[in-house]
């Protein structure tokens, strides 16, 4: 069965520092992968997605992610974190079959120190 | 602007009552979804619909019901059979596979349901 693992429940970084959020997936075929961000009490906003092609994907707000098939990973990165990046981040994989259902990880809560 | 509207933002329910959460989209998407979010558990799929007048159970459908009478609307009813309904509920929509390249899901702002 498909699954997504985000090993880090909570991460704290200093403003201006680099960031990497980890995501591992379990999926038999080539996955469709997503990163979403959620501010408190809000819905989810898509940061970036990977369907095929270039394994380094650029997203909004200066985020990028790299698909590594050999490691079943899709880690999210940002070279310099801003205080406004504090939020919860979810990795997701499209479920198999003729639907666009998503399977989500449990999320990583990012705190940014001044 | 195109988007997904969920209402109300906050909802309080007494034990034993049914309550309906509204979800409307004007993105012309065929597929719509309901997810439940609990702290530390990510999002779990309750129901989804790929076409009007058809819907399928997700992973945690027990205690919930839906209808899809119009393409734009996918209301979720939390019934008294749902033993732990307090949660944040998110509605989403997307094209169905094969309709184009943009297969990501778009989310509403959520409804926080509290049982009192």
């Amino acid at each position: 069965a498909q699954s997504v693992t985000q090993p880090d429940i909570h991460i704290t970084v200093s403003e201006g520092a680099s960031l990497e959020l980890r995501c591992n997936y379990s999926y038999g075929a080539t996955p469709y992968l997503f990163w979403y961000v959620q501010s408190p009490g809000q819905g989810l906003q898509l940061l970036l997605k990977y369907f095929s092609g270039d394994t380094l994907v650029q997203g909004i707000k200066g985020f990028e992610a790299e698909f590594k098939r050999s490691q079943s990973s899709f880690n999210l990165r940002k070279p310099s974190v801003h205080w406004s990046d504090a939020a919860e981040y979810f990795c997701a994989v499209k479920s198999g079959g003729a639907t666009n259902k998503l399977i989500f990880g449990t999320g990583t809560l990012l705190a940014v120190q001044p | 602007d195109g988007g997904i509207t969920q209402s109300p933002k906050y909802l309080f329910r007494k034990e034993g009552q049914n309550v309906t959460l509204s979800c409307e989209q004007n993105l012309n998407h065929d597929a719509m979804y309901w997810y439940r979010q609990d702290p530390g558990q990510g999002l779990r799929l309750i129901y989804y619909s790929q076409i009007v007048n058809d819907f399928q159970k997700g992973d945690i459908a027990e205690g919930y019901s839906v209808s899809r009478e119009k393409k734009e609307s996918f209301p979720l009813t939390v019934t008294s059979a749902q033993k732990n309904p307090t949660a944040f509920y998110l509605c989403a929509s997307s094209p169905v596979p094969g309709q184009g390249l943009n297969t990501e899901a778009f989310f509403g702002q959520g409804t926080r349901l509290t049982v009192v």
Side-chain angles (χ1 to χ4, degrees):
Chain A
Q2 301 98 330
S3 65
V4 176
T5 301
Q6 293 181 248
D8 303 306
I9 296 172
H10 187 270
I11 284 182
T12 300
V13 299
S14 298
E15 191 167 16
S18 64
L19 172 70
E20 183 169 27
L21 301 182
R22 295 183 291 166
C23 173
N24 293 97
Y25 67 89
S26 172
Y27 191 79
T30 299
Y32 286 8
L33 293 159
F34 307 83
W35 274 101
Y36 284 89
V37 61
Q38 183 182 37
S39 297
Q42 301 296 312
L44 274 66
Q45 181 183 23
L46 181 70
L47 285 176
L48 47 79
K49 61 189 178 187
Y50 171 79
F51 290 164
S52 65
D54 193 347
T55 58
L56 185 61
V57 180
Q58 301 298 319
I60 63 171
K61 304 185 179 186
F63 285 93
E64 66 178 26
E66 186 171 12
F67 171 61
K68 293 185 177 180
R69 183 188 301 276
S70 61
Q71 300 177 19
S72 296
S73 69
F74 188 56
N75 294 349
L76 182 71
R77 302 194 295 248
K78 186 170 185 178
S80 178
V81 170
H82 188 261
W83 63 267
S84 60
D85 293 323
E88 191 156 22
Y89 292 79
F90 291 95
C91 182
V93 64
K94 175 182 170 301
S95 178
T99 77
N100 282 325
K101 297 184 297 179
L102 295 173
I103 298 169
F104 285 87
T106 52
T108 298
L109 186 61
L110 174 66
V112 180
Q113 287 181 333
Chain B
D1 284 355
I4 300 175
T5 301
Q6 290 187 241
S7 61
K9 188 171 177 64
Y10 300 96
L11 189 57
F12 296 89
R13 189 196 90 173
K14 292 182 180 179
E15 285 193 25
Q17 286 183 337
N18 293 355
V19 64
T20 298
L21 283 60
S22 170
C23 178
E24 303 276 336
Q25 56 101 358
N26 60 5
L27 299 169
N28 200 33
H29 288 161
D30 281 305
M32 297 187 74
Y33 315 82
W34 275 105
Y35 291 90
R36 170 179 170 142
Q37 185 178 15
D38 296 282
Q41 296 195 46
L43 280 73
R44 294 178 291 168
L45 183 65
I46 305 172
Y47 268 99
Y48 67 101
S49 168
Q50 303 244 98
I51 195 169
V52 173
N53 292 323
D54 187 54
F55 47 83
Q56 305 295 326
K57 292 182 179 180
D59 301 317
I60 56 166
E62 184 175 354
Y64 300 97
S65 66
V66 294
S67 63
R68 187 85 187 277
E69 298 177 1
K70 298 186 301 181
K71 184 176 183 177
E72 302 80 17
S73 179
F74 191 42
L76 173 73
T77 296
V78 183
T79 75
S80 57
Q82 170 49 237
K83 296 307 179 187
N84 186 23
T86 294
F88 192 53
Y89 292 87
L90 286 158
C91 178
S93 73
S94 77
V96 297
Q99 288 184 330
L101 295 179
N102 293 326
T103 57
E104 70 260 30
F106 295 81
F107 284 81
Q109 293 300 295
T111 293
R112 184 164 299 282
L113 173 63
T114 303
V115 173
V116 297

